[in-house]
Amino acid sequence: MSTGEQRFGEWVAVRRHEDGHVAELVLDRPKAMNAVSTGMGRCIADATSALAADREVRAVVLTSTHERAFCVGADLKERNSFTDADLGRQRPYTRAAYTGVLDLPVPAVAAVHGFALGGGFELALSCDVIVADTTAVVGLPEVSVGVIPGGGGTQLLPRRVGAARAAELIFSARRVEAAEAGELGLVDLVVEAGRDREEALALAARIAANSPVGLRAAKRALRLGHGLDLRAGLEVEDAAWRTVAFSGDRAEGVAAFNEKRKPNWPGE
C-alpha cells in the first residue's frame, strides 16, 4: 500500500508503502542517469536524515527512476569545471549522501538495474542487501579517472568479498555484469530483468513485518560487531540484546506467539 510521496529537492523522492513502514528512497535525476552532483548529494543527505529520524520506518528500499541506470556515480560533467577549491567544498555534501545511506538505523535494500558504477555502486554497498536484476553492471572504476572510491568503496567492498578480490576489482577498474556479480558476492540476489524494484520492495515488506525494536538492534549489532574479535563481538551483541529484552516489542512478540496471532508491535 502506498501512502504518498515527499520530495527532497529536485532529484530525490520518498514514497511510503506498507502503512508507512517501508520507505522507498527514489533517485530521480534521469537526465544525468542519477549522477551525484553537489545538489544531488544534498538531496540524498536530506532524505536520509529525515528517514533516520522517522520511528515509523522499519525498512528502506533505494531505487532509481532511470530505465538504464541505478546511478552512474559522481557527476564528472559538473566536476570538469571545478577548481581544486570547488572540489574541496563539494566533498562534505557528497560524503553526507553516502554516509546518510550507510547510517540508516533500519535495514536498507538496494534495487539495482543497469549501471551502478563508482559512487552509484557505493550507494548500493551502503545498504544491507543488494537486489540486482540481470541488466545490472556494477564496479568501482575511479582509478581510471585519477581518483579512488571515496563513498566508502575501499572499506565496504572488502567487507563483502575479501581484501584480495576487492583489490583486484578496484585496481583494475573493471565492470562486472549481474551473473558474475552474484557469484562474487558483489550483489546478494539476482532477479529477472525489470523485477529488481518489485523484489526489493517485497523483501522490505517481509522485513518490516518484524519488530521495529528488534530490527534496529539487530542492525546495530551486525554493524558494530563486524571486524571485532569474537569475544568483543559477543559483548556488542549482548548490549543490543539488552535493549530489546525488556522492551514492549519483546513482550508483544512472546504474547502473539503464544496466542497464535499476528503481533501488534508497540515499537518501544
Side-chain angles (χ1 to χ4, degrees):
M1 181 175 89
S2 178
T3 57
E5 178 176 295
Q6 180 181 5
R7 300 294 301 191
F8 289 84
E10 185 178 356
W11 298 311
V12 171
V14 170
R15 300 170 183 162
R16 302 304 178 113
H17 306 266
E18 303 298 323
D19 296 324
H21 296 316
V22 172
E24 183 182 358
L25 178 58
V26 186
L27 305 178
D28 187 27
R29 195 185 177 207
K31 292 183 179 179
M33 300 179 88
N34 293 327
V36 182
S37 62
T38 306
M40 182 75 160
R42 286 173 170 163
C43 293
I44 296 170
D46 288 345
T48 53
S49 179
L51 289 171
D54 190 338
R55 299 294 298 187
E56 290 298 310
V57 174
R58 300 179 188 174
V60 174
V61 178
L62 185 57
T63 67
S64 162
T65 60
H66 198 285
E67 292 183 356
R68 295 186 294 109
F70 174 73
C71 172
V72 294
D75 188 339
L76 297 184
K77 290 184 178 179
E78 179 188 55
R79 287 192 182 181
N80 191 47
S81 64
F82 275 7
T83 64
D84 288 351
D86 292 332
L87 186 59
R89 282 190 290 268
Q90 184 200 47
R91 177 63 173 168
Y93 299 108
T94 52
R95 189 174 183 189
Y98 302 116
T99 56
V101 176
L102 184 65
D103 290 343
L104 286 168
V106 297
V109 181
V112 174
H113 60 265
F115 297 112
L117 301 172
F121 189 36
E122 287 171 306
L123 286 173
L125 289 171
S126 296
C127 295
D128 301 289
V129 180
I130 302 174
V131 177
D133 81 359
T134 54
T135 71
V137 179
V138 305
L140 297 175
E142 283 88 346
V143 297
S144 69
V145 292
V147 290
I148 68 165
T154 65
Q155 305 306 305
L156 294 170
L157 190 59
R159 283 168 167 78
R160 271 187 163 266
V161 300
R165 178 66 69 191
E168 181 265 316
L169 292 165
I170 291 170
F171 295 159
S172 69
R174 74 182 179 94
R175 301 180 180 190
V176 182
E177 296 185 358
E180 184 185 3
E183 292 171 359
L184 296 180
L186 299 174
V187 303
D188 301 299
L189 299 171
V190 179
V191 300
E192 294 178 4
R195 290 184 57 85
D196 55 299
R197 177 177 177 270
E198 179 181 352
E199 294 288 348
L201 285 170
L203 173 58
R206 293 195 296 273
I207 290 170
N210 296 308
S211 159
V213 172
L215 290 171
R216 288 170 179 258
K219 178 162 180 173
R220 190 164 62 250
L222 284 164
R223 287 288 178 88
L224 294 179
H226 188 92
L228 299 179
D229 66 63
L230 179 59
R231 189 160 299 279
L234 290 173
E235 290 302 317
V236 168
E237 181 181 83
D238 185 67
W241 178 85
R242 290 177 184 279
T243 67
V244 300
F246 311 107
S247 69
D249 273 14
R250 193 277 308 169
E252 169 62 11
V254 173
F257 176 83
N258 283 287
E259 295 166 16
K260 296 180 173 57
R261 60 174 173 81
K262 183 178 179 182
N264 182 22
W265 303 114
E268 58 184 21

